Amino acid sequence: MPELPEVETTLRGITPYLLNKKIKAITVRQPQLRWLVPDDIHAAENQKILRLERRGKYIIASTGIGSIIMHLGMSGSLRIADPKFADPKYEIRKHDHVMFELSGSKSMIYHDPRRFGSILWTREPAEQHPLLAALGPEPLSDEFTGNYLFQQSRKKKVAVKNFIMNSHVVVGVGNIYASEALFRAGIRPGKAAGRVTAAAYGLLATEIKSVLTAAIKSGGTTLRDFVNSEGEPGYFQQTLNVYGREGEPCRQCGRIIKQRTIGQRSTFFCSHCQS
Ligand SMILES: [Zn+2]
């Protein structure tokens, strides 16, 4: 599943082709995504994209009259294609559901085999859209601190891993990065959020920022189904300490990495290094 670093990588990849470009035409080949692609998406035709940004795992392309809100879901990707028949990238592939033809002779194609992603249109300021209005702070913003996590978590019995994966608390901390940040901060993922100390949250906030920044730098981790904006696999392998390493030795202490299901998600940790 594309996580925040992959979405950020996608945004950076598509921005040069979209920013200040006019949307010449939108072709919806398959409107049945997680939500139906609305008919009024065509209002964006002949509009110039004035701003591109990411909020959580949403990519927002704003025009003068409204915004396109995109989410890659489980298996979605955006790629830039050159609409010349000589260019193999122009070839329409199975699961190419929505095409945006842009001025500057490029197209952006939304591809999504599992169709859990979404492409929506709003005439309201995007941040007021119901999907975006209740989101917590960005993990890489100054607003997101250990003190913020400490204050938000008092009296909460939920596991700290679920707490940091809740988008109302903080956006974009997915399963892999939650496991890795908790390992690096030395916190057991199943510990009640309300029992984690202010000092531990200080470390955790720092490690969340650090794992996400490292992943953005390397273009995201390697996972299936993600294709970056140039049509190449967009996840790059990065060294994971615990995620996916059940039964293997901890890189820090040599003991065996354990796996447990917390909040229906596979969770990996070292019971010696995390308490
Ligand atoms: Zn260990």
Side-chain angles (χ1 to χ4, degrees):
M1 181 189 317
E3 294 205 29
L4 185 147
E6 288 75 33
V7 178
E8 181 66 28
T9 301
T10 297
L11 175 67
R12 292 178 187 187
I14 64 174
T15 293
Y17 303 101
L18 270 73
L19 193 59
N20 295 317
K21 299 291 192 291
K22 197 195 247 186
I23 301 170
K24 286 160 72 180
I26 300 173
T27 307
V28 180
R29 297 177 72 231
Q30 169 57 275
Q32 302 274 356
L33 302 181
R34 178 170 183 184
W35 293 291
L36 207 62
V37 178
D39 273 340
D40 58 1
I41 189 94
H42 292 285
E45 288 172 343
N46 295 312
Q47 296 296 319
K48 197 189 253 190
I49 298 169
L50 302 173
R51 210 172 65 208
L52 276 158
E53 63 205 313
R54 179 187 59 72
R55 181 74 178 98
K57 297 206 290 182
Y58 293 93
I59 290 175
I60 303 157
S62 297
T63 71
I65 61 161
S67 301
I68 299 167
I69 301 175
M70 297 174 274
H71 195 288
L72 304 177
M74 304 288 286
S75 59
S77 64
L78 291 165
R79 74 177 193 274
I80 301 294
D82 210 337
K84 287 178 190 151
F85 287 108
D87 185 341
K89 284 183 191 162
Y90 183 61
E91 183 194 339
I92 299 301
R93 303 174 191 168
K94 196 179 175 186
H95 311 301
D96 282 350
H97 303 313
V98 184
M99 273 90 116
F100 301 84
E101 194 188 330
L102 304 160
S103 62
S105 77
K106 296 279 185 190
S107 289
M108 180 176 75
I109 299 174
Y110 180 74
H111 179 92
D112 188 358
R114 297 179 65 182
R115 292 198 265 128
F116 280 115
S118 51
I119 295 189
L120 299 169
W121 167 254
T122 179
R123 288 181 185 271
E124 302 298 320
E127 65 273 13
Q128 289 172 22
H129 191 276
L131 288 171
L132 304 181
L135 292 179
E138 288 287 329
L140 299 177
S141 69
D142 293 341
E143 207 185 326
F144 179 69
T145 62
N147 189 45
Y148 165 81
L149 284 176
F150 181 72
Q151 299 300 338
Q152 293 289 313
S153 61
R154 290 310 85 193
K155 294 184 180 160
K156 296 233 163 82
K157 292 196 172 97
V158 62
V160 60
K161 178 166 175 261
N162 294 347
F163 175 69
I164 59 171
M165 287 179 68
N166 178 344
S167 64
H168 299 298
V169 174
V170 55
V171 296
V173 182
N175 201 30
I176 297 175
Y177 302 110
S179 285
E180 291 298 312
L182 286 162
F183 172 79
R184 290 165 60 156
I187 303 167
R188 276 283 177 109
K191 189 169 187 170
R195 291 191 54 238
V196 176
T197 64
Y201 273 127
L203 271 177
L204 183 57
T206 303
E207 294 300 348
I208 287 171
K209 289 174 195 278
S210 153
V211 292
L212 291 173
T213 304
I216 290 167
K217 262 193 190 151
S218 69
T221 53
T222 305
L223 287 178
R224 67 199 164 92
D225 286 341
F226 181 78
V227 178
N228 77 9
S229 54
E230 303 291 341
E232 300 300 324
Y235 288 79
F236 295 88
Q237 195 76 49
Q238 66 169 1
T239 305
L240 298 173
N241 284 303
V242 285
Y243 188 85
R245 296 193 65 240
E246 182 190 8
E248 292 176 42
C250 172
R251 296 188 207 284
Q252 221 159 260
C253 73
R255 290 172 176 83
I256 297 301
I257 299 295
K258 293 179 177 167
Q259 189 259 325
R260 225 185 104 190
T261 302
I262 295 176
Q264 290 154 6
R265 305 296 300 271
S266 265
T267 302
F268 302 87
F269 63 101
C270 170
S271 54
H272 180 72
C273 296
Q274 295 171 260
S275 58

